[in-house]
Amino acid sequence: MTVLGRFEVSVNGRAVASRQWARRHGAALVKLLAISPSRSLHRDRVIDALWPDVDYDVAVPRLHKAAHYARRALGHQDAVVLRADAVRLCPDFAVYVDAVRFRQLADYALRDGGIAEAKEALALYGGDLLPEDIYETWADPHRQELRRLYLEMLHQAEDWHQAVTADPADERAHLALARRYAELGNRVAALRQLDQLDHVMREELGLGGSLLGLDLRRHLIQASLRAIRPPAAGAQQVYESTM
């Protein structure tokens, strides 16, 4: 099941047609359970998430109806199981959810600290969680947590270009890019990167400039001046005497 960047479900290798999700709450129930621990939630939590402003006695039949449409879309009577106050998604089947796997790989990468492990996790991140459900409050905590892990993986993988794209206010990423340009001898690009950082901090965040950025800028300017400064008179005379 894909929930990062889009919502797509495949059963036995065949994608479930989008028209099967025409019943919004059936799809929402599947999404909510898919990103929940062990694909299971207490019935009351499901109701609070999907029908927060509906009386409980009215919401319970809606839950059963949503489960019915979810089962029909997934093609199996046991795709959604309501038993003992718990609601479970495919409890007797092997289910792959990209967000769950990304979280597992990211957690492992954070423990291991390796660049390769971070890149492996990043390869699974197809975009923010369920972008079509951006206004659903039940998805917000999961979306924010997954995005936080994504940004951490970008840092660990030292993918500073993508880190700045994902978060233009990422001071560490801007500074790392500027240092990388400087190491390559491209001081103009390094100073331009620092200009971008200052713009974001001053114009968009209303903050002062980056102190670390200021120190790096001073160092780069001094290096540029040394590079263009003519040799001292004594050094010139020594040079001429060897001609």
Side-chain angles (χ1 to χ4, degrees):
M1 184 181 303
T2 300
V3 293
L4 294 175
R6 68 187 191 282
F7 175 60
E8 185 176 285
V9 180
S10 295
V11 178
N12 296 326
R14 179 176 297 180
V16 176
S18 58
R19 66 177 180 275
Q20 296 294 332
W21 302 114
R23 299 288 183 168
R24 183 172 64 89
H25 283 120
L29 179 60
V30 170
K31 296 172 184 178
L32 174 63
L33 293 173
I35 60 178
S36 299
S38 302
R39 303 189 308 279
S40 176
L41 280 177
H42 191 279
R43 179 179 59 186
D44 292 351
R45 291 189 62 188
V46 174
I47 289 174
D48 287 342
L50 300 184
W51 298 279
D53 301 320
V54 177
D55 289 341
Y56 187 82
D57 292 341
V58 177
V60 170
R62 293 188 183 185
L63 170 59
H64 284 272
K65 185 177 291 187
H68 165 75
Y69 286 118
R71 295 184 192 108
R72 192 166 72 176
L74 296 173
H76 202 287
Q77 187 61 30
D78 293 331
V80 177
V81 177
L82 286 77
R83 185 182 301 128
D85 292 333
V87 186
R88 297 180 174 88
L89 175 65
C90 300
D92 300 322
F93 304 96
V95 178
Y96 171 87
V97 182
D98 61 349
V100 174
R101 183 56 178 160
F102 168 75
R103 188 191 298 273
Q104 292 171 343
L105 290 175
D107 288 343
Y108 174 76
L110 289 173
R111 292 194 302 270
D112 181 82
I115 292 177
E117 288 75 14
K119 289 182 176 180
E120 184 180 1
L122 287 170
L124 282 181
Y125 196 88
D128 286 344
L129 176 73
L130 298 171
E132 67 275 19
D133 296 300
I134 193 67
Y135 298 112
E136 298 291 351
T137 56
W138 53 264
D140 284 345
H142 300 278
R143 183 179 296 113
Q144 293 171 12
E145 173 64 12
L146 289 167
R147 183 166 177 78
R148 181 190 65 78
L149 283 174
Y150 170 62
L151 295 175
E152 287 194 36
M153 290 299 96
L154 290 175
H155 279 220
Q156 187 165 317
E158 298 181 2
D159 190 344
W160 305 119
H161 284 284
Q162 190 58 40
V164 167
T165 300
D167 181 8
D170 189 335
E171 180 183 17
R172 180 184 172 191
H174 280 285
L175 293 172
L177 268 179
R179 292 190 187 100
R180 181 173 292 174
Y181 287 135
E183 289 170 0
L184 294 173
N186 192 343
R187 286 189 287 269
V188 172
L191 290 169
R192 188 181 300 119
Q193 194 68 49
L194 294 175
D195 287 342
Q196 292 181 21
L197 173 59
D198 280 346
H199 175 79
V200 170
M201 296 190 71
R202 295 181 186 276
E203 302 300 325
E204 299 184 20
L205 300 180
L207 303 174
S210 165
L211 295 179
L212 291 175
L214 182 61
D215 288 342
L216 181 55
R217 183 186 298 276
R218 186 181 300 112
H219 172 78
L220 291 170
I221 292 174
Q222 290 173 350
S224 296
L225 292 174
R226 287 195 298 270
I228 64 176
R229 185 178 297 141
Q236 181 68 18
Q237 293 173 358
V238 171
Y239 174 75
E240 290 175 350
S241 67
T242 62
M243 296 296 289

